[in-house]
Amino acid sequence: MTLHDRSRYGRYTGGPDPLAPPVDLSEALDAVAEDVMAGYSPRHALQEFLRRGGRNRDGLDDLARQVQQRRRDLVGRHRLDGTLDDVRKLLDTAVLEERKQLARDAMMDNTDRALREMQLQDLPASTAAAVNELASYDWQSRTARDAYEQIKDLLGREVLDQRFAGMKQALENATDQDREAVGAMLRDLNGLLAKHRRGEDTDADFQDFMARHGQYFPENPRSVEELVDALAKRAAAAQRLLQSMSPEQRDELMRLSAQAFGSGELMAQLDELDGNLQALRPGEDWSGSERFDGQDGLGLGDGTGVLQDLAELDELSEQLSQSYNGSRLDDLDLDALARQLGPDAAVSARTLAEIERAMQDGGYLRRGADGDLRLSPQAMRRLGKSLLRDTARQLSGRQGQRDTRLAGAAGEQTGSSRAWEFGDAEPWDVTRTMTNAIRRTMADGGNPRPGLRLAPEDIEVAETEARTQAAVVLLVDVSFSMAAEGRWVPMKRTALALHHLVSTRFRGDRLELITFGRYAQSMDIGSLTALPALREQGTNLHHGLLLAGRFFRRHPSMQHVLLVVTDGEPTAHLLPDGDSWFNWPPDAETIRVTVAELDRLGRSGTLATFFRLGDDPGLERFIQRLALRVDGRVVAPDVGGLGAAVLGEYLRAHVRSTYSDADWF
């Protein structure tokens, strides 16, 4: 195989990479869920993530800043008199070369030479006026004549480049035949657009036009509407370019345009084209302007291209803002983004759009009965798994009881076995027992084929674990102080991690989530996760304990486990008529009924743990006394360790043998 036969590989440019891995939603889901737990709506939380971006990915705000920076660079780097400068240089060259020729030409009549010198000496200061005055001048210098003809050629190519990108380069060194072909294209184009304005054109008209003149339209439009769109954007940019010039510059260029290709027909055709396009696309910006204050001069064609870039940047800025009704990232023009900011920016935007699409259409957000978006059960499971994994890392260094695995009691087999001990009632592990007997017999020189005689040391029993089923209540304080002190989101993360642990690892357990503020109520995990911070006063632990007792009575055969998370003493209790009584400092009756309800749970064998948040001495004394009444425990974690503390206490209450935390995660 020769060198030329070898395959060459590069970046894939045909749209989304078909071999790219699916977009990773874990970071987006974590960020959205964090904001949802902080009280934002899922829609707002998703929009905020898309604006911020990820750890290694630009967000919408980053892209918008790049768009604005490119816009500032364009207007700060350029000025619009590049064509005037080029014409002035060619004019100076022509005049200088003509004067040299006049000085060298000894055969010329002195009177004629003097008249010519006077005409060149008295040229107007205006470049346009000087060029027009020399239109009929009989040049003696070939070099001067060529320079002047270049002015007409340059102007023709520039005014065409304003309407048709790339025409300036395409017509360089063009012949008269080439220029006539352009004139024929303009006449046919105006004829097609005039018919289209009247509604008389057909697809055959368009196809015939493209067959004859398609080389002038690299955009390869597929219909007359696409053709009009492309031409109107360019023509509108050309108008904005003229309006961005100073009045003097604009007047100079308009007067110079009459010399384009040395023929007035070109400008007449272009004026007719502008009229057709403005009538067909009145919504384009035909009257805007920009302020340029840079040093790099732009010609008419390049300047029009810059104005088109600015318009495209403005459209991208609006798309990236996502501030209009019904906005979605699918609206982003990725091709335009790649043109203006490069392929990496387009990749970032495409990834953000895929994240938005996957979150909304992939089942992670769903519309509730009230019409609002909510985290779906699928999203809750994924988030719970992530939170449980994080909590496991915190638990990994802690010691304590985790799960009941009692050998010697009938229960669920673990898949392990151990040597039989006197008094064991577990079933034998027959396979391991027979294997042990065969090995022992052969080691003693015997033959196991005729039969085996078992010895006590051969016997292994299947190890089981006796798991106590538990009815668990997580009672969480949702008074305003929880949100004000930064404990709102950690509380929700804790509930979600516990919910995921129970629903995936301890399916025989029953979990009830109860919130208590001015009133208490049972909540599913989705409602608790989306619960906004409440500004009502009141810590009605009494009502929460009543609901916990009701839940425990529905599961009399299970071990009752009560986990209470609070940062304040009870300041409210439930009255017989269902109203909530609130008072600060805590009323004696509030304390009495709260303690009475806790005592009732304690008498039924409830294992209680209180998680005290904050360092208030009064709360510390009160919680300690509550725990003593029911032989419970008090844990005072910092906010960051709340989840590990609650899950650790749940596992401690649930088990009777020591196993490492890693066994469960």
Side-chain angles (χ1 to χ4, degrees):
M1 183 173 65
T2 67
L3 180 63
H4 296 290
D5 294 328
R6 295 176 184 172
S7 299
R8 300 182 66 186
Y9 299 92
R11 181 185 289 230
Y12 182 75
T13 59
D17 186 351
L19 299 180
V23 62
D24 182 11
L25 293 178
S26 56
E27 183 184 8
L29 185 58
D30 289 346
V32 169
E34 192 78 9
D35 284 348
V36 167
M37 288 188 286
Y40 295 101
S41 71
R43 182 186 300 279
H44 179 81
L46 176 58
Q47 289 173 342
E48 284 301 304
F49 173 77
L50 297 175
R51 304 212 72 82
R52 295 191 303 265
R55 287 184 294 270
N56 300 309
R57 182 185 303 110
D58 285 340
L60 295 179
D61 286 346
D62 298 311
L63 295 175
R65 279 193 292 271
Q66 294 175 44
V67 165
Q68 291 304 315
Q69 183 59 50
R70 173 156 171 76
R71 197 184 199 289
R72 287 192 294 270
D73 289 345
L74 287 175
V75 298
R77 187 168 69 244
H78 298 297
R79 52 188 175 84
L80 301 181
D81 55 357
T83 297
L84 290 174
D85 278 353
D86 291 341
V87 171
R88 169 56 69 179
K89 291 175 183 176
L90 288 171
L91 178 63
D92 289 345
T93 298
V95 171
L96 178 61
E97 292 299 324
E98 180 68 6
R99 284 176 172 168
K100 290 180 180 178
Q101 182 63 36
L102 293 176
R104 290 194 299 266
D105 195 349
M107 303 297 294
M108 180 176 291
D109 180 77
N110 289 336
T111 302
D112 186 28
R113 179 187 295 113
L115 291 173
R116 290 177 181 275
E117 286 282 4
M118 186 181 301
Q119 184 176 1
L120 295 177
Q121 181 68 34
D122 295 337
L123 286 174
S126 164
T127 301
V131 170
N132 288 331
E133 183 169 318
L134 292 172
S136 58
Y137 181 82
D138 181 18
W139 298 92
Q140 299 301 300
S141 166
R142 182 185 182 93
T143 304
R145 183 185 303 110
D146 289 344
Y148 186 80
E149 291 299 322
Q150 287 180 45
I151 291 176
K152 295 189 289 183
D153 181 72
L154 173 66
L155 290 170
R157 290 186 291 123
E158 286 281 15
V159 295
L160 283 172
D161 204 42
Q162 279 190 291
R163 276 72 170 189
F164 307 94
M167 193 71 81
K168 179 180 179 181
Q169 291 76 23
L171 290 179
E172 192 169 8
N173 301 318
T175 64
D176 290 340
Q177 186 178 2
D178 295 329
R179 299 187 187 98
E180 177 55 36
V182 171
M185 180 272 292
L186 286 173
R187 288 190 293 272
D188 290 348
L189 177 59
N190 280 317
L192 175 65
L193 297 185
K195 288 182 69 174
H196 188 63
R197 287 178 62 181
R198 299 191 301 268
E200 299 173 357
D201 64 313
T202 65
D203 185 60
D205 293 331
F206 171 74
Q207 298 299 336
D208 179 63
F209 174 81
M210 291 300 294
R212 285 184 284 123
H213 307 297
Q215 72 271 21
Y216 297 109
F217 304 95
E219 304 90 349
N220 194 26
R222 293 168 296 180
S223 67
V224 68
E225 291 293 337
E226 290 188 9
L227 175 65
V228 171
D229 284 340
L231 291 173
K233 289 182 182 297
R234 185 81 177 177
Q239 289 293 322
R240 294 195 299 276
L241 173 71
L242 291 175
Q243 283 141 202
S244 301
M245 296 177 176
S246 67
E248 295 79 9
Q249 291 173 333
R250 185 163 55 249
D251 180 63
E252 287 278 278
L253 282 170
M254 295 304 292
R255 293 164 63 190
L256 277 172
S257 297
Q259 294 298 327
F261 289 150
S263 169
E265 182 184 0
L266 174 64
M267 292 309 300
Q269 290 288 350
L270 292 176
D271 289 343
E272 182 180 349
L273 176 62
D274 288 345
N276 282 322
L277 293 173
Q278 289 195 43
L280 289 168
R281 292 293 184 271
E284 291 289 341
D285 183 5
W286 297 93
S287 59
S289 63
E290 295 289 343
R291 181 176 178 180
F292 291 82
D293 52 10
Q295 298 300 316
D296 297 341
L298 287 173
L300 295 180
D302 291 339
T304 299
V306 168
L307 265 295
Q308 275 192 288
D309 284 341
L310 293 175
E312 193 166 68
L313 288 167
D314 289 341
E315 290 178 4
L316 286 172
S317 182
E318 182 179 7
Q319 293 167 10
L320 290 167
S321 73
Q322 293 286 285
S323 58
Y324 49 92
N325 291 334
S327 60
R328 290 191 62 160
L329 289 188
D330 286 338
D331 302 339
L332 276 177
D333 187 338
L334 298 181
D335 291 337
L337 200 61
R339 281 194 299 271
Q340 298 299 335
L341 302 183
D344 289 342
V347 169
S348 293
R350 181 183 293 115
T351 304
L352 292 174
E354 290 173 357
I355 290 174
E356 180 188 52
R357 194 180 309 115
M359 290 289 288
Q360 293 191 350
D361 302 337
Y364 291 101
L365 297 177
R366 70 176 187 181
R367 207 164 293 281
D370 56 1
D372 290 336
L373 286 177
R374 293 187 178 179
L375 292 175
S376 69
Q378 178 184 359
M380 300 296 294
R381 287 192 297 271
R382 185 163 179 170
L383 179 60
K385 182 178 180 180
S386 174
L387 293 175
L388 186 58
R389 189 185 307 116
D390 292 343
T391 305
R393 295 192 187 101
Q394 292 181 304
L395 278 170
S396 60
R398 296 160 59 101
Q399 302 294 324
Q401 307 289 338
R402 296 297 179 238
D403 190 26
T404 302
R405 300 192 180 195
L406 296 177
E412 180 181 348
Q413 293 190 11
T414 66
S416 301
S417 63
R418 60 173 177 80
W420 173 82
E421 295 177 2
F422 181 79
D424 282 343
E426 283 103 353
W428 286 12
D429 187 324
V430 177
T431 300
R432 291 182 179 274
T433 298
M434 298 301 292
T435 300
N436 292 339
I438 292 171
R439 287 175 176 169
R440 179 183 53 78
T441 300
M442 295 181 68
D444 293 342
N447 183 4
R449 287 181 179 276
L452 289 173
R453 182 181 295 276
L454 296 180
E457 61 266 26
D458 299 330
I459 302 173
E460 290 196 26
V461 295
E463 196 173 49
T464 63
E465 55 184 17
R467 292 187 179 180
T468 304
Q469 288 187 327
V472 185
V473 171
L474 177 62
L475 203 58
V476 291
D477 186 348
V478 294
S479 60
F480 181 63
S481 59
M482 289 285 287
E485 297 296 330
R487 298 160 185 157
W488 194 257
V489 173
M491 173 270 291
K492 291 184 177 184
R493 293 170 64 90
T494 298
L496 192 52
L498 179 61
H499 177 271
H500 189 75
L501 176 62
V502 172
S503 61
T504 59
R505 306 287 182 170
F506 295 91
R507 293 187 177 91
D509 286 1
R510 295 293 177 266
L511 174 65
E512 185 82 348
L513 302 173
I514 299 176
T515 62
F516 63 99
R518 178 67 68 93
Y519 292 90
Q521 60 177 323
S522 297
M523 283 192 172
D524 60 53
I525 188 61
S527 299
L528 177 58
T529 302
L531 184 69
L534 305 175
R535 293 187 174 273
E536 63 181 14
Q537 292 180 312
T539 306
N540 197 337
L541 179 59
H542 170 244
H543 192 188
L545 294 172
L546 284 171
L547 295 182
R550 186 182 304 168
F551 173 75
F552 288 146
R553 287 191 291 275
R554 294 202 300 269
H555 305 283
S557 62
M558 293 184 173
Q559 174 64 62
H560 297 167
V561 178
L562 177 67
L563 307 171
V564 182
V565 177
T566 186
D567 69 347
E569 300 175 59
T571 57
H573 66 277
L574 204 64
L575 298 174
D577 62 2
D579 286 340
S580 176
W581 170 267
F582 167 77
N583 193 71
W584 173 259
D587 187 82
E589 180 63 13
T590 297
I591 302 299
R592 187 190 68 78
V593 296
T594 301
V595 169
E597 191 58 37
L598 180 65
D599 288 345
R600 191 174 294 112
L601 295 178
R603 289 192 295 271
S604 68
T606 299
L607 301 178
T609 303
F610 296 87
F611 300 89
R612 174 177 58 80
L613 301 178
D615 300 322
D616 180 64
L619 175 63
E620 182 180 1
R621 290 192 298 270
F622 178 77
I623 293 296
Q624 194 65 46
R625 291 174 182 174
L626 287 183
L628 287 173
R629 295 185 70 92
V630 292
D631 195 23
R633 288 165 53 85
V634 177
V635 180
D638 57 40
V639 171
L642 178 61
V646 170
L647 265 66
E649 287 302 308
Y650 163 70
L651 294 171
R652 186 198 68 81
H654 199 288
V655 301
R656 300 175 186 176
S657 280
T658 301
Y659 271 72
S660 69
D661 302 305
D663 292 337
W664 294 112
F665 306 100

